[in-house]
Amino acid sequence: MDYFRYKQGQLYAEDIEISSIAEKVGTPFYVYSYATVMRHIHAVKEALSGYPSIFCFALKANSNSAILRILAKEGVGADIVSGGELYRARKAGISGRKIIYAGVGKTDTEIRAAIRAGILMFNVESSDELRTIDRVAGLMNRKAPIALRVNPNIDAGTHPYITTGMKKYKFGMPVEEALEGYRLARRLKNVKIMGVHKHIGSQLTELAPFLESAKKIVAFIDQLKHEGIDIKYLDVGGGLGIRYGEEIPPQPAELLANLISIIRPTGCTLITEPGRSIMGNAGILVTRVLYLKQNELKNFVIVDAGMNDLIRPSLYEAFHKIEPVVKRRRTKISADIVGPICESGDFLAKDRLLTRVKQGELLAVRSAGAYGFTMSSNYNSRPRVAEVLVKGNKFYTIRKRESYADLIRHDSIPAFLKTAGDR
Ligand SMILES: *Cc1c(COP(=O)(O)O)cnc(C)c1O
C-alpha cells in the first residue's frame, strides 16, 4: 500500500494533507513516511529470516539522523562510505559491529576512526588500500577485519553513472587481481580476512545480473577455500531498483530468496546493503509553482525546487513522477518542469505531460526519498530545504530549513579584508 495517496483529490502522506505541511514549513521540502520506511525494513528482514544474515542500510541514500534512528531501533546496521557517515551511524546508535565500510578513497584518519569504532569489516577496493589499512591497524596494535570488493565484470543494465561492477569503472578488483589481493591479505599481519564483497550498481530492475554476479562470487569463494582462505561473510551489496515510472523491479523477497539459494552451499553469512529500495519510495519532494512561461518551442513550469535540491534528473536523466498536490479537472500540457538555478541542466522533468497548473500551486516529486536530500547542495546560495517525517496524523521536522546565516557560517574574512563593521 502506498502511504502517499489521494483522498478527495488531496495528496496525503499517511494521514496528513501535504498542503497543510507546506503551509507550516514552507516549500520546498522533503517528506518521508514512517510507515513506508517500516514496511520496507520489514520486507528485507522477513526475506532474510531463517538464514544467517546482516542487513546494513546504505547511508548515502538518506542519512538524516531521525531516519537512521528508525533503522537503528529496528536493529539494522550501516553500509558507510566515509568518516562522516561513520559519525552519523554511531550517533544514531548503530553498533560498530554492524557497520561495513566501502569506498575507493578511505583516508588514514577515516581508517583509524573505523578501527576504533570496531566495525564489522572494511570492504577494500585496492591492494594499495589493503596495505594502508594494515599499516594503520599495526600502529594501533589492532587487527583490521577486511573483505575485498570483487568486480565481477557484469553489466548491471542501469545508467553508466550508477553501474559499478565493470572493469572500466574505479570500483573493486577484477577476480584475478582479487585472488592476489587475498594472498597478500593473508601475509599481512594486521588484517583479518572476513569476507568477500561485491556491489554491481544501483537501480537494477532485473534479477539476472544479481544472480550471475553472486554465482561468480560463490565460485571465487570456492577457489579461495582451495587456497586455505576461509570466508565467513558474503556481502552481496545493494542496488535493488525501485519503481520510479513503469519499471517493475523484483521484490526484496524474490531477490533475497534467490541469492540465499545460491549462497547457502558456501555456509557464508549473507550481508545485504540496500539503500534506494528502503528510502526511495518512502519520500517525496514538495515544490511550489513560481511561474509559467512559454516560447514557440516549449512550455516551462518554473518551480521553487532546483537541481541543488534534487539532482537526479540533471545528473542521471532520472525520471521522477510529478503530480499535483491537489487534483484538478483541467486539460493537460506538455512542459519542462524547471528550477530557479542558473543552469540549462536545471530541470526536474522534460517534455512532461501534466495537468495544467497555476502560479502558487503545489507539485509532488515522487520517489525522492533516496539520493534526494543527501545529494543536495547550496549551489546558487540556496539554503538546503527542510525534511519532514510523517507518522500517522503527526509530522515532525527532522531537519530544519537552512537560513542565509547558515550559508556563510563557515566563511572567514582575512584580517586585511576586515572593515570597521567586523568584530
Ligand atoms: C551505493 C551503495 C549501496 C546502496 O545502493 P542502492 O542502489 O541504494 O541499494 C550499497 N553498497 C555500496 C558499496 C554502495 O556504494
Side-chain angles (χ1 to χ4, degrees):
M1 148 152 145
D2 191 354
Y3 291 99
F4 295 101
R5 61 186 186 279
Y6 289 95
K7 290 180 211 167
Q8 276 115 40
Q10 281 274 347
L11 185 63
Y12 277 67
E14 302 191 16
D15 303 325
I16 305 190
E17 288 178 38
I18 295 294
S19 31
S20 78
I21 303 174
E23 261 170 50
K24 287 173 190 123
V25 307
T27 57
F29 62 95
Y30 281 95
V31 52
Y32 310 112
S33 149
Y34 175 81
T36 311
V37 178
M38 290 297 278
R39 179 162 56 93
H40 293 168
I41 292 173
H42 286 145
V44 173
K45 280 192 177 179
E46 206 157 289
L48 291 172
S49 67
Y51 189 81
S53 51
I54 302 174
F55 167 11
C56 295
F57 172 70
L59 249 68
K60 71 181 192 290
N62 189 314
S63 51
N64 180 284
S65 301
I67 299 294
L68 297 186
R69 205 53 86 81
I70 300 174
L71 289 144
K73 277 180 105 170
E74 287 299 306
V76 178
D79 169 45
I80 61 164
V81 293
S82 72
E85 288 190 347
L86 175 64
Y87 179 83
R88 283 184 183 273
R90 298 290 294 123
K91 282 279 180 194
I94 296 173
S95 148
R97 285 172 295 125
K98 287 185 189 165
I99 297 178
I100 45 181
Y101 187 177
V104 297
K106 307 174 186 84
T107 65
D108 283 23
T109 311
E110 290 175 315
I111 293 167
R112 210 172 299 122
I115 293 174
R116 207 174 292 128
I119 64 165
L120 177 61
M121 63 189 192
F122 288 93
N123 287 335
V124 179
E125 309 230 13
S126 64
S127 43
D128 250 16
E129 181 193 331
L130 185 58
R131 286 195 192 86
T132 301
I133 292 175
D134 178 68
R135 173 174 55 74
V136 173
L139 290 171
M140 299 170 75
N141 285 318
R142 297 277 288 270
K143 244 174 145 60
I146 62 106
L148 298 190
R149 177 167 181 176
V150 177
N151 183 335
N153 196 29
I154 281 181
D155 187 350
T158 181
H159 191 281
Y161 287 7
I162 47 178
T163 298
T164 56
M166 292 179 79
K167 285 190 179 169
K168 59 181 164 182
Y169 300 114
K170 67 180 177 183
F171 298 100
M173 307 176 189
V175 176
E176 316 81 63
E177 204 184 301
L179 184 58
E180 278 307 312
Y182 278 98
R183 288 175 183 148
L184 168 64
R186 185 163 52 180
R187 291 197 301 275
L188 296 174
K189 289 205 168 54
N190 311 304
V191 300
K192 182 164 189 263
I193 297 171
M194 306 291 285
V196 177
H197 174 235
K198 67 126 181 120
H199 170 75
I200 57 171
S202 200
Q203 185 53 16
L204 273 65
T205 52
E206 303 288 337
L207 273 182
F210 283 113
L211 306 187
E212 214 182 309
S213 56
K215 284 176 191 157
K216 279 200 177 182
I217 301 297
V218 166
F220 180 62
I221 289 175
D222 277 342
Q223 205 178 345
L224 292 175
K225 212 170 262 169
H226 280 297
E227 302 231 348
I229 297 170
D230 223 28
I231 298 297
K232 190 151 181 256
Y233 298 103
L234 199 174
D235 183 345
V236 297
L240 179 59
I242 62 165
R243 194 160 182 177
Y244 286 101
E246 296 311 310
E247 58 275 74
I248 304 180
Q251 292 292 309
E254 187 188 4
L255 170 65
L256 291 167
N258 275 282
L259 287 174
I260 287 169
S261 69
I262 293 170
I263 290 167
R264 194 182 293 277
T266 65
C268 287
T269 296
L270 180 149
I271 302 177
T272 180
E273 316 166 333
R276 188 188 312 271
S277 54
I278 304 297
M279 286 307 299
N281 275 323
I284 64 175
L285 172 66
V286 180
T287 182
R288 197 178 287 282
V289 176
L290 294 175
Y291 301 104
L292 303 167
K293 180 172 170 173
Q294 62 194 140
N295 61 26
E296 300 105 85
L297 222 55
K298 279 189 180 259
N299 295 304
F300 295 98
V301 174
I302 302 168
V303 297
D304 65 0
M307 65 188 285
N308 72 299
D309 303 310
L310 178 66
I311 204 175
R312 299 191 68 259
S314 306
L315 188 60
Y316 310 129
E317 296 176 309
F319 175 91
H320 285 265
K321 257 189 211 165
I322 300 179
E323 296 174 327
V325 165
V326 180
K327 270 195 181 154
R328 295 180 170 90
R329 264 192 210 144
R330 294 186 190 147
T331 56
K332 297 210 168 195
I333 52 161
S334 171
D336 284 9
I337 301 168
V338 303
I341 298 272
C342 298
E343 298 277 350
S344 297
D346 176 28
F347 59 89
L348 297 176
K350 284 211 158 160
D351 302 314
R352 184 67 61 85
L353 200 63
L354 83 162
T355 306
R356 277 179 195 280
V357 285
K358 292 187 179 161
Q359 252 186 321
E361 292 176 357
L362 296 170
L363 291 173
V365 183
R366 303 293 301 259
S367 315
Y371 306 102
F373 187 88
T374 52
M375 293 182 96
S376 68
S377 77
N378 292 122
Y379 187 41
N380 277 205
S381 283
R382 289 165 50 81
R384 270 176 297 185
V385 306
E387 290 179 286
V388 170
L389 178 68
V390 168
K391 181 173 187 283
N393 60 8
K394 289 207 166 63
F395 83 85
Y396 308 86
T397 298
I398 57 174
R399 193 177 202 273
K400 66 176 182 186
R401 187 179 308 283
E402 289 178 354
S403 66
Y404 290 150
D406 289 330
L407 293 175
I408 60 168
R409 194 170 303 286
H410 297 292
D411 292 2
S412 69
I413 310 295
F416 77 95
L417 291 176
K418 287 204 168 147
T419 57
D422 292 313
R423 283 190 298 134

